[in-house]
Amino acid sequence: MDFELKTLGLDGAAQEKCDALLVLLPEGAKPGADPLSRMATDAIKARSFDTKPGKTLQSWRPQGIAASRVVLAGVGDASPRRIYAAVYSLVASLRNAGVRRLVVCLPAAADGRGVRAAVAAAAEACYVYVSTRSKPEGVEIDRVVIGCADAPAARADFATARAAALGIELARELGNLPPNRATPTRLGEEAKKLAKAAGFRCEVLGPKEVAKAGMGSFMAVAQGSEEPLRFIILNYQGAAASQAPVVLVGKGITFDSGGISIKPAPDMDEMKFDMGGAASVLGTFRALAELKPRINVVGLIPTCENMPSGRAFKPGDVITSLSGQTIEVLNTDAEGRLILCDALTYAARFKPRAVIDIATLTGACVIALGHVRSGLFATDDTLADALLQAGELALDPCWRMPLDEEYGEGLKTHFADVANVGGRAAGSVTAAKFLQRFAGKQPWAHLDIAGTAWKSGAAKGATGRPVGLLVQYLLSQQGEGAAAKAAKPGAKALAKAPVKRAGKAASPAPRKRAGAGSRAASRAG
Ligand code: BES
Ligand code: MN
Ligand code: ZN
């Protein structure tokens, strides 16, 4: 599907030849003398229509209007949220309705944010999963024209929304693929394909290289599966190599059975979505390829299955992470943090200005925030604020959660430096506290997308979140990092072989050792 942006008022919209014309009408707008205004005024007078959100009126080939089908839709205050809702429901209703070319005429008062909302909503409503259907359902809509009062002024917002939509589409498609297709190997191939098409560097490590690097925690999760793990490293360079990159780390569990701490059967199929973080990193790189912002970004994706087997890791096992910290596994279903911790340690070699991990990490986050906002944890207020703001602007919101030292208490154990689970209380926070031990001193944020990465029930499917948030955040960082020079260019670090450490439990990590208890590390951020 293709988008186009055009300067269009109601008079112009009436002359647009298309299969369907969607006219968004705000409360209190002054009607003109054009045919669409007259139609709206008449309908309001006859009480067949009003401009409250959710109200619509359809007509077929009305006089003086070039479109075959016209839909008037009330959008109340014409806020981006209202525009999104109106466009989404109308475009969804026009699927499989013989509409190829669609024109959306925004209220005259709508600005760039309105344009973004319209693009995002139309793209979201047009997506259909086809990969593994033998008789795919069609959508037909192949061109959406967004009409607004001042197209040149909204050009940048339009480009952002269009690129984000492509990234979201990729993330949804990968997320929706069944787990026998979206294997770690496949994700590695998708990353390579993406990098090749866009001209950025990509390296995919297999079991041997990951073992050599010393990622003992990541390897422990993968060892119960027949599918070989992959560690994906993507490198987008849009600024000078001397500029410190933002590192995105995505959880890529392509199927989470829970392992030996196996999950109950109902809805276990949804654990194919446990690679939503990885999909969002790939989707974000898809958008970077379009927008080419002046910033450096590294993407890290540890990806594997979490399966029970005779070779699987077990509750009670003590494993050694890349950082040197030892971890007692008390629950093999808390596997996300075990693959992420090694990736967070790995991230330090890029001397990043910020590290952001994205993970479908805890059911507890779904209990806390539901399916509306992603959970945000951060050791740095500037980073947290930038992510919160990006989420609002992209209509992909998150909410900040705490990281008080006391939340880390439950992770103490006699048998290792840290346990992989605490108690039941504040489960999303203890998970974040675990990760924080491995994030080190670099500004770090963690997005728990367990409630937002996919929908259950009749609308079951990946959402592509938080690609919109991440793209917006990265765009907002252009120029910001010019001062924050990397000691060593991230580019060189990519090609570099393993970190200089022995990889044994007894040997201390190169950067810092957290100490036997969890408190020392809890203070780090
Ligand atoms: N992938 C799950 C988190 C999850 C569960 C997301 C349900 C969405 C819906 C994660 O690996 C997991 O199993 N977490 C456990 C942690 C627990 C064992 C401490 C959870 O949330 O139950
Ligand atoms: Mn799990
Ligand atoms: Zn998981």
Side-chain angles (χ1 to χ4, degrees):
M1 202 208 3
D2 218 358
F3 285 101
E4 185 186 329
L5 182 69
K6 211 171 178 175
T7 300
L8 211 57
L10 286 177
D11 43 353
Q15 288 158 39
E16 282 286 314
K17 266 217 171 71
C18 55
D19 302 306
L21 168 67
L22 203 58
V23 184
L24 305 190
L25 294 163
E27 252 158 6
K30 257 204 245 119
D34 59 279
L36 283 165
S37 289
R38 265 190 316 221
M39 182 175 159
T41 320
D42 285 357
I44 291 169
K45 235 183 249 159
R47 293 206 284 166
S48 293
F49 175 68
D50 81 64
T51 51
K52 288 203 175 69
K55 300 284 179 178
T56 61
L57 178 69
Q58 293 220 23
S59 44
W60 178 251
R61 298 232 160 102
Q63 277 243 308
I65 294 167
S68 308
R69 182 191 319 228
V70 176
V71 189
L72 306 182
V75 287
D77 63 1
S79 64
R81 211 169 289 277
R82 296 291 189 206
I83 290 175
Y84 187 99
V87 174
Y88 180 83
S89 74
L90 289 170
V91 173
S93 75
L94 292 174
R95 278 165 52 155
N96 298 305
V99 174
R100 299 191 77 91
R101 188 180 143 93
L102 170 71
V103 176
V104 179
C105 185
L106 296 179
D111 59 4
R113 294 188 61 186
V115 170
R116 282 176 183 238
V119 172
E124 163 123 28
C126 281
Y127 170 85
V128 256
Y129 175 79
V130 293
S131 291
T132 48
R133 303 276 303 254
S134 60
K135 292 191 199 78
E137 162 201 12
V139 184
E140 294 151 356
I141 299 174
D142 54 18
R143 187 160 197 84
V144 178
V145 177
I146 308 286
C148 70
D150 186 356
R155 186 73 47 203
D157 286 296
F158 174 73
T160 301
R162 216 182 132 262
L166 290 170
I168 289 165
E169 186 186 1
L170 175 64
R172 291 178 79 177
E173 191 63 20
L174 292 174
N176 287 335
L177 281 176
N180 58 335
R181 300 272 183 115
T183 58
T185 306
R186 169 76 179 269
L187 291 189
E189 288 164 4
E190 293 287 337
K192 284 264 186 208
K193 201 166 85 185
L194 187 61
K196 197 167 173 210
F200 37 73
R201 273 168 307 154
C202 173
E203 210 183 328
V204 179
L205 310 185
K208 276 198 196 115
E209 291 115 314
V210 165
K212 203 171 157 209
M215 299 192 203
S217 187
F218 176 26
M219 282 161 53
V221 175
Q223 78 191 32
S225 169
E226 296 293 321
E227 289 289 341
L229 65 76
R230 291 288 183 267
F231 189 80
I232 303 168
I233 307 155
L234 283 155
N235 201 313
Y236 167 80
Q237 197 182 321
S242 59
Q243 256 191 55
V246 171
V247 179
L248 303 178
V249 179
K251 171 178 172 182
I253 295 290
T254 58
F255 188 72
D256 181 10
S257 69
I260 296 297
S261 313
I262 200 159
K263 288 180 181 294
D267 300 324
M268 208 207 271
D269 65 291
E270 295 192 5
M271 283 299 122
K272 72 172 184 176
F273 296 119
D274 211 16
M275 36 61 79
S280 78
V281 172
L282 292 169
T284 300
F285 272 77
R286 174 74 187 83
L288 289 175
E290 291 294 310
L291 293 168
K292 303 196 167 52
R294 289 168 280 105
I295 182 177
N296 295 332
V297 188
V298 172
L300 299 178
I301 297 173
T303 172
C304 67
E305 286 183 339
N306 184 23
M307 297 291 278
S309 86
R311 280 189 298 148
F313 73 143
K314 312 170 282 297
D317 281 0
V318 173
I319 57 184
T320 304
S321 66
L322 176 59
S323 74
Q325 295 178 71
T326 57
I327 304 163
E328 185 186 25
V329 178
L330 292 178
N331 190 322
T332 64
D333 199 10
E335 85 297 339
R337 62 198 79 182
L338 296 176
I339 71 169
L340 291 170
C341 68
D342 281 347
L344 288 172
T345 303
Y346 192 90
R349 71 175 57 191
F350 298 98
K351 304 270 189 291
R353 50 199 266 218
V355 178
I356 303 162
D357 76 70
I358 307 104
T360 48
L361 203 63
T362 64
C365 191
V366 189
I367 303 300
L369 296 174
H371 306 285
V372 181
R373 286 176 184 265
S374 306
L376 166 66
F377 300 82
T379 51
D380 182 280
D381 290 342
T382 310
L383 176 58
D385 289 344
L387 289 166
L388 283 166
Q389 213 189 336
E392 297 304 318
L393 197 53
L395 300 180
D396 186 358
C398 58
W399 194 256
R400 194 162 178 189
M401 303 280 282
L403 280 172
D404 300 86
E405 201 178 310
E406 290 84 345
Y407 286 112
E409 294 287 321
L411 295 171
K412 283 185 180 165
T413 164
H414 295 306
F415 304 111
D417 298 342
V418 66
N420 80 325
V421 292
R424 266 168 53 82
S428 71
V429 190
T430 51
K433 289 307 288 181
F434 178 91
L435 292 177
Q436 190 185 354
R437 296 175 59 100
F438 300 86
K441 291 209 170 63
Q442 56 211 350
W444 163 75
H446 156 61
L447 286 163
D448 193 332
I449 57 167
T452 52
W454 77 89
K455 290 179 183 160
S456 306
K460 190 189 286 186
T463 60
R465 290 179 68 180
V467 170
L469 180 159
L470 293 169
V471 170
Q472 184 53 41
Y473 164 75
L474 292 172
L475 290 178
S476 78
Q477 295 304 296
Q478 293 179 93
E480 298 267 318
K485 297 265 185 203
K488 189 169 38 161
K492 282 205 190 112
L494 172 72
K496 265 266 166 62
V499 281
K500 299 146 241 127
R501 60 173 294 275
K504 295 270 152 51
S507 58
R511 293 178 310 115
K512 76 151 207 241
R513 173 124 169 103
S518 64
R519 269 168 302 153
S522 301
R523 275 195 298 270

